[in-house]
Amino acid sequence: MREYLRSIFEQDAGVNGSFLADPVFEATFGWEQANVDFSGLKNKLLHEDLVESLTKKPTKAEREKRKKKGLEDDYTFTVDRKPYRHQLEAWQALIEAKPPRSVLVSSGTGSGKTECFLIPILNDLATEIDQRQNIPLTGVRALFLYPLNALIKSQKDRLVAWSEPFNGKIRFCLYNGDTPTDGKSEWQSEVAGRRTLRANPPPILVTNSTMLEYMLVRHEDRPILEQSQGQLRWIVIDEAHSYLGSQAAELTLLLRRVLHAFGCEAGSVHFIATSATLGDSSVETRQRLAEFLADIAGVSVDRVTVIEGKREVPNLDTTLNQANESCPEISSLRALSPEERFVALAKNQKTRSLRINLTQKPDRLTNLCNTFFGNDNSMNRHRMLELLDLCSQAKNEKSEPFLPLRGHLFHRTLNGIWACANVNCNGRINTKLDDEKWAFGAIFLERHEHCPHCKIPVFELVQCDECGAEYLSAIEKFQDGKDWLVQSEPVDFDEDEFQKELEPLEDDDIDLNEELLPNDNVGKFRLITEQHLASVKNVGLSAIGELDFYGKEGIPIHIMVLDFDTQNNSEFLLCAVCNTKHKNPKLSFRPIRLGAPFLLGTAIPALLERLEPMTGGQEPRPFDGKRLITFTDSRQGTARFSTKLQQESERNYVRSLIYHSVATAVPVVDESLIEKIQQEITALEPVANINPALKSLLDEKIKEIYKLQSSQPAQITWKEAEDRLLNAGDFTRWMLPVFNELTYGTLSERKIAKLCLLREFFIRPKRLFSLEGLGLLQLYYPALEKANLPAVMKQKGIAIGVPILTGRKRTLRNLNFHKRLISFNNL
């Protein structure tokens, strides 16, 4: 079954692009730089004190303090550093233009969008401090709106680095739901508590729209507004592209109320919006963006400037740029050194054009194939991907890549699988589904009412939660004097897809009062299956879904119906493959879903594995310092997903360590001794039949070599496994501190090691990996071999020497035995 589904997925993805969309690639050269450095801006465009704070290197004590407080970067610039062109344009528009202008900055990740607005704001505050003769500023002048708390917290490093040199005259506050009432900070520029925020509002307030709503209506926050009357001059809207439709309308109305509450006019406030890179930088697109910000800000369009960051392609040597040699074959390029590869690619007109075009605008893989090879097919796609990879690896003598790239991969989640109920459906002809093992017809990845091939009704494919057996789920209804078979309603778990990835509740944990089976008004839950598994066979099903239990009309199908447990006085549905009685079939027979958590959980470890280790510094880092960032739209989903990733990484580490510990315990085979005995056997065989004494000696030699050649199971004791964990540097360095914090220091280090082993061996979830579930290792109890099992256990077929597994959770109940071994399974 799984091979059939995989082939359908591959076919569907290849033909329709239903799973992985056409990849998009863009060049990631550096951003265009301005023609002036910070020394040239000092006392001209930027205030002298601000340039000093931006370029002043922190002292050793300050660096140690920042590192101790978790600030990873000092965020200082060198005096000869040139800002990016779009940064300088934003500074000029926001500092020099009169009356105040509003700016929308559209640029890619890592292009310094924050500096586009933060430096003009700090420049404005530094100028006001001069005018007030170095009196610290009170009252909100700048309001930063971020959609996520994580983005709010990410600005702390910059704000500390650039505000701290002003010795408390310029302060900021990160105001969200986590801000404590009486918080304290090690930084004189940070307002860390609500009480201080209300008593002495700082000039910079970083918050979100929800907290801003509260601030406008909450009596406790009234002092913030009262002390900021007429002083608000800056409103920053980060990630402006996330405000669409009703969200944009709500933001617009909120900003109107903000201006009224702060006693300001829209014309006297700089509105700044930041957004992702423009897909289309045409005049029309820029005009629409200007209108978007103008509508939100409540100002005229002519007061809005749209600034776009552009990448700068390094110039090639003249001799390379004028050459027009043919591009070598992929195999030849791969054999060259990075420097030789750079020269070969730079001498080809097509690859030079590819370099420029991908810098100007991202493009799809299909278009690249058509442009470079003349057509798009599977072979050319592979060739193009290899060429792009080699282009990114080619480097000149300055270690500059010929074409640094970023790929955008868009993957579709799988919301279910539907199949035609007709085993003779012509939609399965000449496909891998045309096999006697497949009991249904054509497969679809979207909900269908009827099969387009044979017009028979389509039903959703479900799997037994216990064994994974496949069925089609349906509802039998009686209506208008006839029996009908209709599709089951979509399962509503009343939770996000991140919650669905969790292990399902056990029977004992489910509220039996909850209606999990369809009631009589809705119909009866049914499963369509193979003939030899069904309880009701050869039922006729018409094209309109009418049932004929005599089998005279329609195509034949085979159904499993609910049974009644007289002992427990309840209905159940039996899985004909594993014979499990499911009291709650609506939950026990689950639709097939592949959501974002599954795809991310699979992709992230694979991506991390391919990343380059972090260089610099001698201290050890987890996974050699490899890192990546993921974002989701769900706060709770992000929390669940990150926790699950952490747990999986911990479990994988323990699995790897224990597996390799057992593997190194495999007895070493003496090959020279085996060879010597083999020679002796060869010499004895011709004469052994004549001399009985030699025959006995030959048999002993054969037994000896057989014993040497037979693989002996490697094993370590439970205590040795605990010791391996406690002696592992990674375990003591990163895992122990986390577990100490989670357990509030109540567990000893050995108990934590034992807990990690119990988490792997004590419970084997049905849909999660484990060393035993993968068949790599097994937990073995030597003391059980000497135990005299009770008669009732013998009747149940429980053998000596095998761990006792009971219950749906298959819990190992014999952990009280003192002698436990972890050993290789018979693979």
Side-chain angles (χ1 to χ4, degrees):
M1 166 61 187
R2 289 163 182 79
E3 294 178 1
Y4 303 146
L5 293 180
R6 187 181 300 113
S7 67
I8 293 298
F9 294 163
E10 292 172 354
Q11 179 184 8
D12 188 77
V15 176
N16 302 319
S18 295
F19 285 95
L20 187 64
D22 200 1
V24 176
F25 295 94
E26 65 171 324
T28 56
F29 288 109
W31 302 94
E32 290 183 358
Q33 290 187 327
N35 55 4
V36 61
D37 57 23
F38 277 99
S39 64
L41 296 171
K42 185 176 181 180
N43 282 330
K44 295 179 181 177
L45 180 66
L46 300 181
H47 193 281
E48 178 182 7
D49 292 343
L50 175 60
V51 175
E52 288 293 330
S53 70
L54 295 174
T55 58
K56 181 183 178 182
K57 285 289 183 182
T59 64
K60 183 178 180 180
E62 290 172 336
R63 286 198 303 270
E64 290 297 325
K65 180 181 178 181
R66 292 181 181 183
K67 184 176 180 180
K68 183 179 179 181
K69 297 302 175 182
L71 302 186
E72 298 181 0
D73 199 329
D74 58 21
Y75 286 98
T76 56
F77 300 102
T78 57
V79 177
D80 58 354
R81 165 76 178 271
K82 294 181 179 180
Y84 296 134
R85 179 193 54 79
H86 60 274
Q87 291 176 333
L88 181 59
E89 289 182 5
W91 299 348
Q92 291 170 336
L94 292 171
I95 295 175
E96 294 180 336
K98 303 295 180 183
R101 295 194 63 81
S102 295
V103 169
L104 190 148
V105 180
S106 176
S107 190
T109 304
S111 61
K113 291 193 291 292
T114 300
E115 286 81 353
C116 288
F117 60 80
L118 185 53
I119 287 179
I121 291 173
L122 292 174
N123 185 80
D124 179 47
L125 298 178
T127 303
E128 184 180 0
I129 290 173
D130 274 357
Q131 296 171 351
R132 291 176 175 267
Q133 299 180 349
N134 286 328
I135 298 176
L137 303 180
T138 295
V140 177
R141 273 77 165 171
L143 191 61
F144 297 3
L145 286 180
Y146 286 87
L148 297 174
N149 284 342
L151 295 174
I152 294 176
K153 295 177 181 178
S154 69
Q155 298 305 316
K156 181 175 178 178
D157 291 11
R158 283 187 184 86
L159 289 168
V160 167
W162 297 341
S163 301
E164 202 67 10
F166 287 92
N167 300 317
K169 299 183 184 70
I170 296 179
R171 296 170 299 125
F172 68 91
C173 178
L174 307 182
Y175 189 34
N176 56 36
D178 297 329
T179 305
T181 301
D182 292 308
K184 295 183 179 180
S185 175
E186 297 292 328
W187 311 105
Q188 57 183 339
S189 59
E190 182 185 15
V191 174
R194 301 188 184 201
R195 196 182 302 277
T196 306
L197 168 64
R198 293 158 181 163
N200 187 11
I204 299 176
L205 183 62
V206 187
T207 186
N208 55 50
S209 57
T210 301
M211 293 302 296
L212 188 55
E213 285 271 9
Y214 290 157
M215 191 175 72
L216 295 180
V217 299
R218 194 158 44 192
H219 177 72
E220 293 89 337
D221 290 336
R222 192 68 192 171
I224 302 175
L225 303 176
E226 292 173 350
Q227 298 180 72
S228 305
Q229 288 297 301
Q231 302 188 71
L232 183 64
R233 299 192 293 271
W234 303 86
I235 295 180
V236 178
I237 307 166
D238 191 52
E239 304 292 335
H241 56 272
S242 63
Y243 295 98
L244 299 173
S246 60
Q247 287 183 312
E250 290 174 2
L251 177 64
T252 301
L253 295 175
L254 174 62
L255 293 182
R256 300 291 189 276
R257 293 167 56 206
V258 167
L259 292 174
H260 177 73
F262 279 85
C264 299
E265 298 291 335
S268 61
V269 176
H270 299 273
F271 290 88
I272 307 166
T274 64
S275 177
T277 307
L278 296 176
D280 176 14
S281 57
S282 63
V283 175
E284 292 78 9
T285 300
R286 296 170 68 89
Q287 179 65 22
R288 287 198 299 270
L289 287 173
E291 292 172 355
F292 168 79
L293 182 57
D295 290 341
I296 288 181
V299 298
S300 59
V301 178
D302 59 358
R303 294 273 295 273
V304 176
T305 301
V306 177
I307 297 173
E308 182 183 1
K310 294 184 179 294
R311 295 189 182 274
E312 185 175 24
V313 184
N315 294 324
L316 296 174
D317 185 83
T318 305
T319 56
L320 298 177
N321 209 25
Q322 293 178 350
N324 191 18
E325 298 182 6
S326 59
C327 183
E329 291 295 324
I330 299 296
S331 57
S332 301
L333 280 172
R334 193 182 298 111
L336 299 176
S337 68
E339 292 78 10
E340 293 171 334
R341 192 179 301 145
F342 186 98
V343 173
L345 292 170
K347 287 183 176 181
N348 180 258
Q349 176 62 40
K350 277 190 173 182
T351 52
R352 290 200 301 268
S353 298
L354 176 70
R355 184 172 182 258
I356 295 173
N357 292 339
L358 286 181
T359 305
Q360 294 175 346
K361 184 180 180 181
D363 206 352
R364 299 173 182 268
L365 179 61
T366 300
N367 296 336
L368 296 178
C369 289
N370 288 326
T371 302
F372 207 89
F373 298 115
N375 62 76
D376 172 43
N377 54 42
S378 178
M379 182 181 70
N380 285 341
R381 279 179 162 241
H382 285 287
R383 291 173 63 195
M384 194 70 225
L385 288 172
E386 287 193 75
L387 178 62
L388 291 173
D389 192 34
L390 292 171
C391 286
S392 65
Q393 296 175 14
K395 296 182 180 181
N396 60 14
E397 64 279 358
K398 299 179 182 178
S399 294
E400 296 173 341
F402 177 78
L403 179 58
L405 287 170
R406 176 185 294 142
H408 302 268
L409 307 179
F410 302 93
H411 201 291
R412 176 191 177 190
T413 58
L414 181 65
N415 295 317
I417 300 177
W418 290 262
C420 172
N422 184 10
V423 69
N424 296 315
C425 173
N426 53 17
R428 56 183 277 172
I429 298 175
N430 296 326
T431 71
K432 292 187 178 182
L433 294 174
D434 195 7
D435 190 294
E436 61 181 8
K437 297 179 182 179
W438 178 239
F440 312 115
I443 282 180
F444 309 98
L445 302 177
E446 294 179 352
R447 182 178 292 273
H448 284 61
E449 293 294 332
H450 294 85
C451 174
H453 306 288
C454 65
K455 310 306 179 186
I456 294 299
V458 170
F459 301 94
E460 187 166 14
L461 191 72
V462 295
Q463 289 182 303
C464 171
D465 195 39
E466 190 72 25
C467 68
E470 298 88 10
Y471 303 90
L472 299 184
S473 68
I475 299 294
E476 181 187 334
K477 300 176 64 175
F478 183 77
Q479 187 175 344
D480 300 329
K482 299 178 181 179
D483 293 299
W484 304 83
L485 203 64
V486 299
Q487 287 189 8
S488 300
E489 290 297 320
V491 177
D492 182 12
F493 289 93
D494 193 28
E495 58 202 8
D496 60 40
E497 60 180 346
F498 290 86
Q499 177 69 20
K500 294 177 187 177
E501 290 294 305
L502 303 179
E503 188 69 10
L505 296 173
E506 302 296 331
D507 281 345
D508 296 339
D509 299 327
I510 295 175
D511 184 2
L512 296 179
N513 294 321
E514 182 183 358
E515 186 181 332
L516 298 174
L517 285 170
N519 56 43
D520 292 335
N521 295 328
V522 175
K524 292 292 186 180
F525 192 83
R526 299 288 185 253
L527 294 177
I528 305 174
T529 184
E530 302 176 60
Q531 183 175 10
H532 71 281
L533 298 177
S535 54
V536 181
K537 304 177 182 180
N538 296 313
V539 179
L541 176 67
S542 71
I544 59 175
E546 184 180 349
L547 289 176
D548 177 14
F549 284 96
Y550 296 101
K552 296 179 180 180
E553 301 290 338
I555 58 104
I557 63 171
H558 317 289
I559 301 175
M560 294 182 62
V561 300
L562 294 168
D563 205 342
F564 191 79
D565 187 346
T566 56
Q567 194 171 21
N568 296 316
N569 194 30
S570 62
E571 288 184 318
F572 68 89
L573 191 57
L574 182 73
C575 174
V577 176
C578 64
N579 293 321
T580 300
K581 294 181 179 180
H582 294 291
K583 298 178 182 179
N584 306 296
K586 188 177 178 182
L587 293 183
S588 299
F589 292 93
R590 299 170 64 90
I592 296 174
R593 304 279 194 266
L594 293 180
F598 173 84
L599 297 172
L600 286 173
T602 303
I604 287 174
L607 292 172
L608 276 174
E609 187 69 33
R610 302 291 295 178
L611 293 178
E612 292 290 332
M614 183 186 293
T615 57
Q618 301 300 318
E619 72 281 0
R621 302 184 180 98
F623 213 60
D624 296 327
K626 299 177 181 179
R627 297 181 294 179
L628 59 79
I629 300 174
T630 66
F631 296 92
T632 68
D633 295 329
S634 167
R635 293 183 184 180
Q636 292 184 352
T638 300
R640 293 191 188 106
F641 181 63
S642 59
T643 301
K644 183 178 179 181
L645 277 182
Q646 177 66 25
Q647 291 176 344
E648 283 300 307
S649 65
E650 293 170 357
R651 288 176 175 175
N652 286 335
Y653 174 77
V654 173
R655 288 169 190 157
S656 176
L657 182 64
I658 299 304
Y659 175 83
H660 288 288
S661 297
V662 177
T664 56
V666 175
V668 179
V669 179
D670 189 344
E671 298 292 344
S672 61
L673 180 59
I674 291 176
E675 184 179 356
K676 179 182 177 182
I677 297 174
Q678 185 63 57
Q679 292 173 355
E680 293 176 354
I681 291 174
T682 304
L684 287 171
E685 283 178 339
V687 296
N689 293 330
I690 303 174
N691 190 330
L694 294 178
K695 178 68 167 64
S696 176
L697 179 60
L698 177 61
D699 291 341
E700 290 295 329
K701 293 294 182 181
I702 291 175
K703 290 180 181 179
E704 186 177 355
I705 198 171
Y706 177 78
K707 184 177 180 180
L708 288 172
Q709 290 178 334
S710 300
S711 59
Q712 299 296 319
Q715 58 187 26
I716 61 174
T717 66
W718 184 276
K719 184 177 182 303
E720 287 174 338
E722 292 178 1
D723 292 339
R724 298 292 175 91
L725 286 174
L726 292 172
N727 292 327
D730 291 345
F731 182 80
T732 57
R733 191 178 298 112
W734 295 303
M735 288 183 63
L736 276 182
V738 173
F739 275 97
N740 273 322
E741 182 178 353
L742 292 175
T743 59
Y744 302 99
T746 57
L747 296 181
S748 65
E749 292 185 353
R750 182 162 295 277
K751 285 187 176 181
I752 292 175
K754 184 177 181 179
L755 176 63
C756 291
L757 292 176
L758 290 175
R759 183 166 63 174
E760 182 63 25
F761 291 101
F762 185 64
I763 296 177
R764 292 188 289 177
K766 286 171 288 189
R767 293 199 305 277
L768 296 179
F769 294 128
S770 69
L771 285 170
E772 289 190 300
L774 292 169
L776 298 174
L777 302 179
Q778 70 174 356
L779 193 62
Y780 171 62
Y781 303 96
L784 280 178
E785 290 188 351
K786 303 176 183 178
N788 185 15
L789 296 181
V792 65
M793 298 180 71
K794 294 179 181 179
Q795 291 174 1
K796 297 293 185 181
I798 299 176
I800 292 178
V802 178
I804 298 174
L805 310 178
T806 60
R808 286 191 64 199
K809 292 185 178 180
R810 297 190 284 278
T811 306
L812 300 173
R813 300 295 186 185
N814 295 295
L815 292 175
N816 292 325
F817 280 89
H818 296 292
K819 295 182 179 179
R820 291 171 293 205
L821 298 176
I822 301 172
S823 65
F824 272 116
N825 247 332
N826 295 324
L827 303 180

